[in-house]
Amino acid sequence: MSQPLIDLQHISKRFDDTLVLDDLSLSVKENSFVTLLGPSGCGKTTTLRIIGGFESPNTGKVIFGGEDITKLPPNKRQLNTVFQKYALFPHMSIADNIAFGLKIKNKSKAYIDDKIKYALKLVNLNGFEHRSIDSLSGGQQQRIAIARAIVNEPKVLLLDEPLGALDLKLRQDMQYELIRLKNELGITFIYVTHDQEEALTMSDTIVVMNQGYIQQMGSPEQIYNEPENAFVADFIGESNIVDGLMIHDELVEIFGAKFACVDKGFGTNQPVDVVIRPEDIDLVKPEEGTLQGIVTHLIFKGVHYEMEVTTPDGYEWLVHSTDMFPVGEKVGIHVDPFDIQIMNKPASEDEEAVGVNE
Ligand SMILES: Nc1ncnc2c1ncn2[C@@H]1O[C@H](COP(=O)(O)OP(=O)(O)OP(=O)(O)O)[C@@H](O)[C@H]1O
Ligand SMILES: [Mg+2]
């Protein structure tokens, strides 16, 4: 195992009286794409700014390639940042915007011209050198901001919601371009977003944050399929999260009905949280279902139908299916055992925020 490229060790950050990051530790491997994901105000930008050196932590260390860089100013760090609100210089040409950092470093004109060409090619804006910033679309401006960061050859690129201002289609195109860039350049990306789909699409590792704490860290598949607590399950996608009773290993009771599952080690007759994804619910004939309900809502979503099925206890199950069941129809709910995810209930309110389940 190689040592991590970046290691945040027990970082805390306070603004006035508010603790914004609380004992946050995080390792980032070289050449990985790590995404910080969480709701507004959870501390993503603050974490990124601490890595970039724009903010210093109250406690804890920032280690880069084995060296303590906690007190190193931003321009001495081997990383570049693309900020949440991209700050291009509107009065300068595209070439001058991209060249800005290189000129500060006193690079030769030939070197700079070469780099500009190379960077524009990478972001698919060949020949745009002499256009003005005003003449570019939002997506093009964003790509210039990325080109400007890339020419400095950083080991790490910090990106703070770089696609937030773009419309859906453009955002998706840019997601693919960023993945391509990462693979071509072999640099490490630390990416901030509050969009869970974007995180799932792009990342090697997702760090789910809430209120200054890391809730869960893992691959997109792990985070999506095996959320460790209700916050992660809820945040990472639409979910049915219901109270359950773990009767014994591999059997859970939900609203009085017994569902086979694959989880073990939760004890006997223990209250648990149960997560079932909308796409994992099979609607069948009432007598074939484990639970019975009535379709109370139906929306066509393009790829699938979104339905709401209300069971006698009053819970409204969210169901995604390519089969359509009209409102008012009686249906059965069936879920395959491995599509049922069991989680410990948080022991206290406080733990719920922290997300410690061990
Ligand atoms: N310079 C500052 N002074 C005081 N409070 C700050 C400062 N910067 C951030 N905060 C507060 O710290 C908390 C975390 O902010 P941060 O910008 O890291 O959140 P975020 O996760 O990036 O949110 P968003 O998704 O909205 O960008 C917020 O409550 C914010 O108001
Ligand atoms: Mg932010």
Side-chain angles (χ1 to χ4, degrees):
M1 276 292 290
S2 57
Q3 68 172 5
L5 182 62
I6 296 177
D7 208 14
L8 298 184
Q9 300 179 347
H10 304 289
I11 299 282
S12 299
K13 180 66 184 172
R14 240 172 229 293
F15 288 115
D16 306 319
D17 288 338
T18 317
L19 192 60
V20 172
L21 297 177
D22 190 356
D23 195 24
L24 183 133
S25 294
L26 169 65
S27 289
V28 176
K29 274 197 276 188
E30 190 157 7
N31 291 338
S32 59
F33 195 122
V34 175
T35 300
L36 309 179
L37 172 71
S40 185
C42 72
K44 305 180 296 292
T45 295
T46 305
T47 306
L48 211 65
R49 287 175 61 81
I50 286 174
I51 298 173
F54 302 99
E55 208 74 76
S56 51
N58 293 100
T59 64
K61 284 183 187 165
V62 181
I63 308 292
F64 191 104
E67 265 178 64
D68 188 343
I69 60 158
T70 316
K71 299 209 159 58
L72 206 64
N75 57 349
K76 296 265 160 59
R77 300 187 181 199
Q78 290 173 296
L79 31 83
N80 259 115
T81 311
V82 177
F83 291 103
Q84 196 158 9
K85 293 185 189 66
Y86 43 89
L88 296 173
F89 305 112
H91 53 281
M92 289 185 192
S93 71
I94 286 170
D96 287 341
N97 262 281
I98 296 175
F100 189 75
L102 299 175
K103 284 186 179 158
I104 289 177
K105 288 186 189 155
N106 281 324
K107 299 284 186 189
S108 73
K109 178 157 180 343
Y111 177 92
I112 291 177
D113 286 349
D114 242 29
K115 279 286 174 191
I116 292 171
K117 274 213 167 60
Y118 167 73
L120 283 175
K121 201 168 159 210
L122 270 180
V123 298
N124 281 338
L125 290 175
N126 255 335
F128 273 60
E129 282 91 336
H130 302 295
R131 292 268 297 268
S132 72
I133 294 294
D134 289 345
S135 73
L136 299 181
S137 72
Q140 289 168 336
Q141 290 191 25
Q142 193 53 57
R143 280 186 264 169
I144 296 299
I146 291 163
R148 190 175 61 174
I150 285 171
V151 290
N152 295 306
E153 299 180 352
K155 282 199 102 152
V156 180
L157 202 54
L158 306 176
L159 298 140
D160 193 353
E161 310 229 16
L163 312 182
L166 308 181
D167 67 46
L168 181 64
K169 179 70 177 67
L170 198 52
R171 207 158 70 218
Q172 287 168 342
D173 291 346
M174 284 295 294
Q175 288 172 5
Y176 288 117
E177 285 195 32
L178 283 176
I179 294 169
R180 176 181 62 80
L181 275 180
K182 190 223 144 215
N183 293 337
E184 277 181 26
L185 298 173
I187 46 186
T188 307
F189 275 45
I190 304 182
Y191 191 91
V192 164
T193 183
H194 60 258
D195 180 338
Q196 74 277 9
E197 261 185 43
E198 192 163 290
L200 291 170
T201 310
M202 302 179 75
S203 322
D204 302 317
T205 303
I206 298 178
V207 180
V208 184
M209 295 178 63
N210 188 30
Q211 297 177 10
Y213 294 98
I214 293 177
Q215 296 275 330
Q216 187 174 351
M217 210 177 321
S219 69
E221 289 83 359
Q222 281 168 337
I223 298 276
Y224 190 87
N225 293 326
E226 296 153 39
E228 277 172 18
N229 58 50
F231 175 84
V232 176
D234 200 30
F235 194 77
I236 204 74
E238 291 173 300
S239 266
N240 297 287
I241 303 176
V242 293
D243 291 330
L245 188 70
M246 201 69 189
I247 301 194
H248 52 68
D249 281 355
E250 302 180 4
L251 190 69
V252 64
E253 185 178 296
I254 303 167
F255 301 140
K258 293 186 176 62
F259 285 79
C261 60
V262 294
D263 298 73
K264 294 179 193 174
F266 286 85
T268 53
N269 296 318
Q270 284 299 313
V272 288
D273 282 331
V274 183
V275 177
I276 303 174
R277 297 279 177 199
E279 65 273 24
D280 290 333
I281 293 180
D282 298 326
L283 295 184
V284 293
K285 290 182 190 145
E287 61 275 15
E288 290 169 6
T290 317
L291 267 175
Q292 284 72 39
I294 290 177
V295 178
T296 44
H297 259 290
L298 167 70
I299 304 169
F300 178 58
K301 287 279 205 175
V303 187
H304 61 256
Y305 293 95
E306 180 172 294
M307 287 163 283
E308 196 178 84
V309 174
T310 307
T311 41
D313 48 84
Y315 187 80
E316 293 160 349
W317 295 83
L318 185 67
V319 182
H320 290 169
S321 170
T322 49
D323 299 329
M324 192 269 277
F325 294 82
V327 171
E329 181 132 326
K330 270 195 180 158
V331 291
I333 287 180
H334 170 84
V335 188
D336 283 332
F338 48 82
D339 287 330
I340 294 177
Q341 169 79 17
I342 307 287
M343 301 178 304
N344 282 312
K345 276 192 172 297
S348 66
E349 291 280 305
D350 198 33
E351 231 179 76
E352 193 155 22
V354 181
V356 177
N357 280 334
E358 281 77 29

